[in-house]
Amino acid sequence: MTLDLVAAVRRFNRTVTQRVGALDDEYMASGRPLAQARLLWEIGPDGAEVAALRARLGLDSGYLSRLLRTLEGDGLVTVGPAEPVGGDARVRVATLTEAGRAEWTALDARSDQLAWSILEPLSGQRREQLVAAMTQVERLLIASMVVVEPCPPSDPRARACLRAYARDVARRFDDGFDPALSKPVHDEELVPPAGVFLLATLNSEPVGCGAVKLHPDAPAEIKRVWVADTVRGLGMGRRILSDLERYAAERGWTSVRLDTNRNLTEAIAMYHSSGYREIEPYNSEHFAHHWFEKQLDPAGRWGGA
């Protein structure tokens, strides 16, 4: 990381906030600041759970409550249980009133106008360039928002990822995927000091996982690397793999192994480009066709996310 890179990001942030009117007292002449307008937009015509809004916008619960109270006071939003009769009162849902839906529609129209005002001064080719650059920036920003950290394999979010992994490989393997035929991976093998399970989350939602088993007197073994379709192509698989390697290296392991199925072509390409070399089979995994090993940098340091 260099100071030039940091300075470039800061310049970009200043330009964007000025161009989209984030500094104005009234965002897009809506009569309310950006935070309130954005929250109104996220609630939308279908409503939204308060917990989901907090995760999606990355807001402190106290600040979100104050914003909701302001919108409620203006007669735009109501907040109550998901099911007023017999429902779980702990699940709170924000819903637009009739006045709120009218303001949401006006905000939608103003947002189109703002986007057009950014594109209109440019030539056709420059518009395409700007939109392509915005799309790339958006994808990279999403990648930077993903958090990768250790998680107990028994955590419901970890279980959800492992179920998604099983569904994904069952769809791609020639003969499906039966966990009973695969070499088992037990929870106790994926908790320190025996190993670790890493969970990737985006806005608190699980979007990927991976694990490493630290075998005594043998190379470490990487298992169950998976990323959701929503973050495919953002380098999440490589990031999880790298974090698992660093975790093993920091604990003294000098090499790591893994096996994979011939149909997981993207994973195979990632392993090759990440410095893995194919080796002879080291296990009897029913669904494996390729076995890989990589020498680890003993100076590697694992930093979590």
Side-chain angles (χ1 to χ4, degrees):
M1 190 75 68
T2 66
L3 292 178
D4 287 346
L5 292 176
V6 173
V9 171
R10 293 181 59 181
R11 285 196 304 272
F12 177 82
N13 290 343
R14 290 194 297 270
T15 300
V16 170
T17 53
Q18 179 181 356
R19 185 63 185 88
V20 302
L23 304 178
D24 298 341
D25 290 336
E26 297 184 2
Y27 182 62
M28 294 192 299
S30 63
R32 59 187 69 257
L34 173 59
Q36 293 179 22
R38 176 64 189 278
L39 178 56
L40 185 76
W41 169 262
E42 290 294 341
I43 293 171
D46 297 328
E49 291 187 6
V50 173
L53 290 169
R54 184 169 61 248
R56 193 184 310 158
L57 297 173
L59 296 177
D60 172 81
S61 58
Y63 182 45
L64 176 61
S65 295
R66 292 193 293 274
L67 290 174
L68 285 170
R69 284 197 297 270
T70 298
L71 295 179
E72 282 187 289
D74 292 343
L76 304 178
V77 171
T78 61
V79 180
E83 297 178 10
V85 180
D88 187 345
R90 295 172 298 180
V91 180
R92 311 289 286 177
V93 173
T95 307
L96 297 183
T97 64
E98 184 176 349
R101 288 192 293 273
E103 184 159 328
W104 186 93
T105 300
L107 180 62
D108 185 41
R110 291 193 188 100
S111 297
D112 281 345
Q113 292 168 6
L114 174 60
W116 176 249
S117 73
I118 293 172
L119 294 170
E120 194 275 334
L122 304 176
S123 66
Q125 182 179 6
R126 289 184 178 274
R127 290 174 189 169
E128 297 292 337
Q129 290 175 340
L130 177 59
V131 170
M134 285 178 166
T135 300
Q136 178 69 355
V137 168
E138 179 188 20
R139 288 176 57 81
L140 293 173
L141 286 176
I142 290 173
S144 76
M145 293 164 61
V146 174
V147 176
V148 180
E149 57 188 354
C151 176
S154 59
D155 186 287
R157 299 170 300 167
R159 294 292 193 219
C161 278
L162 291 173
R163 288 193 297 271
Y165 165 86
R167 290 193 299 270
D168 194 10
V169 296
R171 187 169 60 249
R172 301 186 64 182
F173 289 2
D174 292 333
D175 300 316
F177 176 70
D178 181 356
L181 298 178
S182 181
K183 292 184 71 65
V185 180
H186 302 293
D187 284 359
E188 59 268 23
E189 298 177 294
L190 305 182
V191 294
V196 73
F197 184 93
L198 296 184
L199 180 72
T201 57
L202 175 62
N203 297 328
S204 299
E205 292 297 317
V207 294
C209 66
V212 63
K213 297 162 65 174
L214 303 178
H215 298 297
D217 303 319
E221 185 177 17
I222 287 176
K223 304 295 291 184
R224 305 299 190 255
V225 176
W226 172 83
V227 295
D229 289 341
T230 53
V231 294
R232 290 268 166 89
L234 299 181
M236 286 300 103
R238 191 178 299 271
R239 178 176 167 188
I240 292 170
L241 181 67
S242 179
D243 278 356
L244 293 170
E245 294 169 357
R246 285 199 298 272
Y247 186 93
E250 187 179 57
R251 282 148 183 81
W253 268 256
T254 58
S255 61
V256 64
R257 298 187 297 200
L258 58 87
D259 60 68
T260 193
N261 185 276
R262 61 190 169 207
N263 291 321
L264 301 182
T265 54
E266 304 94 332
I268 292 171
M270 178 179 70
Y271 299 142
H272 279 299
S273 64
S274 297
Y276 285 78
R277 63 180 182 86
E278 289 210 47
I279 59 174
E280 293 298 315
Y282 64 87
N283 62 21
S284 57
E285 169 59 49
H286 177 79
F287 296 102
H289 302 102
H290 299 274
W291 290 260
F292 289 92
E293 185 172 88
K294 179 180 179 178
Q295 298 303 306
L296 298 177
D297 179 4
R301 290 294 178 264
W302 183 76

